[in-house]
Amino acid sequence: MNLFNKISNLVAAGLMLFFAIPKLVGVEKSVQGFKQFQSLVPLDPTVFRIFTGTVELAIALLLLAYAIRNINNLGKLAYFLLLSTMIGGLTMEFFARPKPEMLLVVIALVLSALSIYKLKLLLKK
């Protein structure tokens, strides 16, 4: 695995961890953000926030494991879940928030593009 691939795996894992922790510990900005999502998602905002944080943590761990072990199927799973989560995040930003947080949109787009790139590479192997 070349240096770019290792670093991008670690950066993606770090970003997912960075987003998972505030959700899991209940940082007020995260709590308020998930209250905005009630219009689109008919779930208790606390349950949805904790579920989302748990999924993001799992993705971070999968990405980290892939960066260390370089197992093709692990990478496929990690990047498929990352892409799926980013598509969900973009959907929430544009359809559930009164005004999308552009920094989150940009990060989600970058992680989506990285996921597509990685999945194309992994599917060729």
Side-chain angles (χ1 to χ4, degrees), residues 15 19 86 89-90 93-94 100-115:
L15 283 170
F19 288 114
M86 292 303 102
L90 287 166
E93 284 299 318
F94 286 110
E101 299 261 347
M102 290 316 293
L103 179 59
L104 296 179
V105 169
V106 170
I107 292 169
L109 289 172
V110 168
L111 288 174
S112 294
L114 177 65
S115 296

Side-chain angles (χ1 to χ4, degrees), residues 11-23:
V11 167
L15 283 170
M16 293 311 292
L17 190 60
F18 176 78
F19 288 114
I21 291 172
K23 291 175 182 80

Side-chain angles (χ1 to χ4, degrees), residues 108-124:
L109 289 172
V110 168
L111 288 174
S112 294
L114 177 65
S115 296
I116 292 167
Y117 169 76
K118 294 286 190 143
L119 286 168
K120 284 179 125 181
L121 288 178
L122 289 164
L123 291 170
K124 287 181 184 178

Side-chain angles (χ1 to χ4, degrees), residues 54-89:
T54 302
V55 169
E56 290 172 346
L57 178 61
I59 293 168
L61 295 173
L62 284 169
L63 288 165
L64 186 58
Y66 173 61
I68 294 167
R69 306 271 324 268
N70 195 27
I71 298 170
N72 199 11
N73 285 336
L74 191 59
K76 287 177 189 176
L77 176 62
Y79 279 103
F80 173 77
L81 291 173
L82 179 59
L83 179 59
S84 300
T85 302
M86 292 303 102
I87 290 169

